C-alpha cells in the first residue's frame, strides 16, 4: 500500500438529461473523497480517459445496450492509468491498467475489472484508440461483419475519426480496389488522401452526399462502413453494387436529434441489389482481440497503419472535449489527458 494517497478526486457527474445538444449545465465537476482500497480493490490515477459518441446515448433515460448514466453519479467509460494503491493480489503500485472508470482523476475499483497494459509496447492512450475499443470496432466491423474481401470497393463515413480512419487504411492494406471516405472539413479530406492513402474523399458539407459519392466511386461500392446514418446511408444504398454489404456501426448524425429521423428513401433498392445491412456492437467481437492486436501491432510497426489522436488536457476540459467530439473538432481518437 502506498503511504501518501490523495484525499480527494474530481469527477464528472451528469446532473440533468440533455434534450438535443448537451449544455454545460447538464454536467458538473465534483469532488469525491478518496480512501484506501478495500480487499480485492485497487486505486488508479487516470492518465487518459476516452470520450466517445455512444456516451451521448447513455445521457438519455432509455433502455439500450448500455445502461443510462445515473444522474448525480460519476460518468464512466474507457480509461488508462497507473495503480497508486493496491489491496489485490497480482497488482502492484506502478502497474498500468486499462479499465472502465473514466471521467475522474482517481478510480477505485475491483482489480478484476482492470487489465494490465504495457506502456513500453505502445503509448498508454493508444489502448483507448488504435489498439483499443475503436480499433477493434474498425477491425471487426470491416473483416467480420462486412465480410470484406480483396478487390472490394469500400466507402466509410466519419472517415477521419477514430474508427473510420482505421477502417479505410485496413481496407487498403487488405487489397481494397478503391477506398472512399467522407469527412466534415477540407482539411480532413486532404488528410485522408494524402496521409492515409484513401483513393478518394469528399467533404459532406460541400454538397449532396449521393452526388459526391457517385463521383468518387464511379464503379459503385461493395462495402459501406456506416458511422453517420441519414444521407450517408441513403447515398451508400444508391451506390451499392449487387450483393453490397453495410456495417451499421453508428449514426452520429442523429444522436442529438429531438424528433424521429427519417430512414433512407431508397430502401427498395435493398431487394434488387440483394444488399445486406448489419448492425454491430464491438462487445460481441472480443474473440477477435488477439488477432486484432497481432495484426494492428504489425501494421503500426511496419508503418502501413497510421493514426492520430486529438488530446485535450485537464479534467476540467472533459465536457468541452465531449462536445468537441460531437462537433467534429477531433481528428482520430479524442482523448482527455490528466497530469
Ligand atoms: N457499434 C459499436 O460497437 C461502435 C463502437 C465504437 C464507435 N461506434 C460508432 O462509430 C462512430 C464513430 O465513432 P468514433 O469513436 O470513431 O468517433 P469519431 O469518428 O472519432 O468522432 C466523431 C466524428 O463524427 C463526425 N460527425 C459529427 N456529427 C456528424 C454529422 N452530423 N454527420 C457526419 N459526421 C458527423 C465528426 O467528424 P466530421 O468532422 O467528419 O463531421 C466527429 O469527429 C460513431 O457513430 C460511434 O457511435 C460504434
Amino acid at each position: 500500500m502506498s503511504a501518501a494517497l490523495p484525499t480527494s478526486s474530481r469527477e464528472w457527474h451528469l446532473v440533468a438529461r440533455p434534450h438535443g445538444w448537451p449544455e454545460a449545465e447538464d454536467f458538473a465537476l465534483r469532488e469525491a473523497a478518496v480512501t484506501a482500497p478495500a480487499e480485492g480493490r485497487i486505486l488508479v490515477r487516470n492518465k487518459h480517459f476516452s470520450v466517445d459518441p455512444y456516451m451521448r446515448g447513455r445521457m438519455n433515460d432509455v433502455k439500450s445496450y448500455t445502461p443510462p448514466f445515473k444522474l448525480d453519479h460519476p460518468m464512466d467509460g474507457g480509461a488508462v492509468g497507473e495503480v497508486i494503491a493496491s489491496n489485490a493480489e497480482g497488482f502492484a503500485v506502478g502497474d498500468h491498467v486499462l479499465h472502465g472508470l473514466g471521467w475522474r482523476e482517481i478510480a477505485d475499483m475491483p482489480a478484476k475489472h482492470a487489465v494490465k497494459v504495457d506502456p513500453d509496447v505502445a503509448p498508454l492512450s493508444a489502448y483507448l484508440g488504435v489498439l483499443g475499443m475503436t480499433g477493434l470496432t474498425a477491425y471487426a466491423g470491416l473483416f467480420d461483419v462486412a465480410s470484406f474481401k480483396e478487390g472490394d470497393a469500400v466507402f466509410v463515413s466519419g472517415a477521419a475519426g477514430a474508427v473510420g480512419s482505421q477502417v479505410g487504411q485496413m481496407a487498403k492494406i487488405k487489397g481494397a480496389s478503391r477506398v472512399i471516405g467522407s469527412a466534415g472539413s477540407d482539411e480532413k479530406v486532404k488528410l485522408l488522401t494524402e496521409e492515409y492513402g484513401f483513393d478518394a474523399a469528399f467533404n459532406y458539407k460541400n454538397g449532396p452526399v449521393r452526388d459526391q459519392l457517385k463521383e468518387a466511386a464511379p464503379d459503385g461500392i461493395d462495402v459501406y462502413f456506416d458511422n453517420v446514418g441519414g444521407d450517408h446511408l441513403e447515398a451508400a444504398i444508391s451506390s451499392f453494387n449487387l450483393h453490397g454489404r453495410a456495417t451499421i456501426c453508428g449514426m452520429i448524425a442523429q444522436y442529438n436529434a429531438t424528433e424521429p429521423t427519417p430512414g433512407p428513401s431508397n430502401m427498395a433498392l435493398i431487394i434488387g441489389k440483394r444488399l445486406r445491412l448489419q448492425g454491430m456492437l464491438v462487445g460481441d467481437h472480443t474473440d477477435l482481440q488477439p488477432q486484432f492486436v497481432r495484426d494492428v501491432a504489425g501494421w503500426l510497426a511496419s508503418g502501413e497503419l497510421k493514426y492520430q489522436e486529438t488530446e485535450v488536457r485537464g479534467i476540467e476540459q472533459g465536457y468541452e472535449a465531449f462536445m468537441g467530439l460531437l462537433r467534429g473538432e477531433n481528428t482520430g481518437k479524442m482523448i482527455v489527458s490528466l497530469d
Side-chain angles (χ1 to χ4, degrees):
M1 303 266 294
S2 160
L5 290 180
T7 54
S8 70
S9 158
R10 286 175 296 170
E11 53 189 35
W12 279 100
H13 289 205
L14 185 69
V15 297
R17 301 216 177 269
H19 180 70
W21 281 83
E23 292 175 11
E25 299 72 49
D26 300 329
F27 304 85
L29 184 60
R30 292 180 173 160
E31 204 141 300
V34 173
T35 52
E39 177 75 36
R41 299 179 74 92
I42 54 176
L43 285 190
V44 178
R45 186 188 295 281
N46 282 337
K47 289 186 174 291
H48 310 279
F49 70 83
S50 182
V51 287
D52 297 280
Y54 79 89
M55 292 170 175
R56 177 64 191 85
R58 296 189 66 195
M59 292 169 190
N60 301 332
D61 191 14
V62 291
K63 199 163 176 253
S64 182
Y65 57 92
T66 41
F69 290 128
K70 286 190 188 146
L71 291 184
D72 296 309
H73 282 70
M75 294 188 290
D76 54 58
V80 276
E82 184 174 347
V83 175
I84 54 168
S86 171
N87 198 358
E89 212 173 300
F91 286 81
V93 170
D95 283 349
H96 291 92
V97 291
L98 170 68
H99 61 89
L101 295 184
W103 288 96
R104 70 197 76 188
E105 290 173 306
I106 310 285
D108 179 343
M109 77 191 81
K112 64 180 182 210
H113 293 170
V115 176
K116 283 194 209 178
V117 291
D118 187 343
D120 294 330
V121 170
L124 276 180
S125 56
Y127 293 100
L128 298 174
V130 67
L131 280 169
M133 187 275 280
T134 54
L136 179 61
T137 303
Y139 188 90
L142 180 66
F143 297 129
D144 191 6
V145 182
S147 316
F148 169 85
K149 55 184 190 326
E150 198 180 330
D152 281 342
V154 176
F155 171 46
V156 54
S157 55
V163 173
S165 59
Q166 301 307 298
V167 170
Q169 293 182 84
M170 286 174 182
K172 282 302 282 185
I173 291 168
K174 287 292 191 178
S177 59
R178 188 166 178 81
V179 171
I180 303 111
S182 69
S185 75
D186 294 346
E187 212 179 351
K188 288 183 181 181
V189 164
K190 203 165 159 206
L191 176 80
L192 296 178
T193 52
E194 294 187 2
E195 274 291 310
Y196 292 160
F198 284 53
D199 299 286
F202 60 87
N203 179 347
Y204 66 83
K205 294 174 181 166
N206 283 352
V209 178
R210 197 191 283 227
D211 298 348
Q212 295 201 75
L213 179 58
K214 283 249 151 45
E215 197 176 314
D219 298 325
I221 59 169
D222 305 297
V223 167
Y224 172 47
F225 196 108
D226 193 11
N227 288 316
V228 168
D231 54 355
H232 280 78
L233 179 55
E234 188 169 285
I237 291 173
S238 175
S239 275
F240 260 134
N241 297 323
L242 287 190
H243 301 292
R245 291 143 275 138
T247 293
I248 309 297
C249 173
M251 295 204 171
I252 196 164
Q254 68 184 50
Y255 292 175
N256 290 310
T258 52
E259 299 291 333
T261 47
S265 63
N266 54 357
M267 298 265 283
L269 289 176
I270 295 172
I271 307 162
K273 295 187 182 187
R274 280 81 107 202
L275 304 181
R276 194 181 83 207
L277 278 60
Q278 191 176 326
M280 78 164 289
L281 283 179
V282 61
D284 294 342
H285 299 276
T286 46
D287 57 313
L288 289 176
Q289 180 75 16
Q291 190 185 329
F292 154 70
V293 170
R294 207 170 41 243
D295 278 350
V296 168
W299 295 330
L300 289 172
S302 67
E304 285 168 283
L305 187 71
K306 297 178 184 167
Y307 72 99
Q308 288 195 5
E309 292 170 352
T310 300
E311 185 185 48
V312 173
R313 296 198 72 86
I315 181 104
E316 309 80 4
Q317 299 305 317
Y319 160 72
E320 271 306 325
F322 178 68
M323 293 306 292
L325 175 81
L326 297 182
R327 289 192 292 254
E329 288 163 16
N330 61 306
T331 302
K333 184 80 192 85
M334 186 67 119
I335 301 275
V336 180
S337 296
L338 313 179
D339 293 319

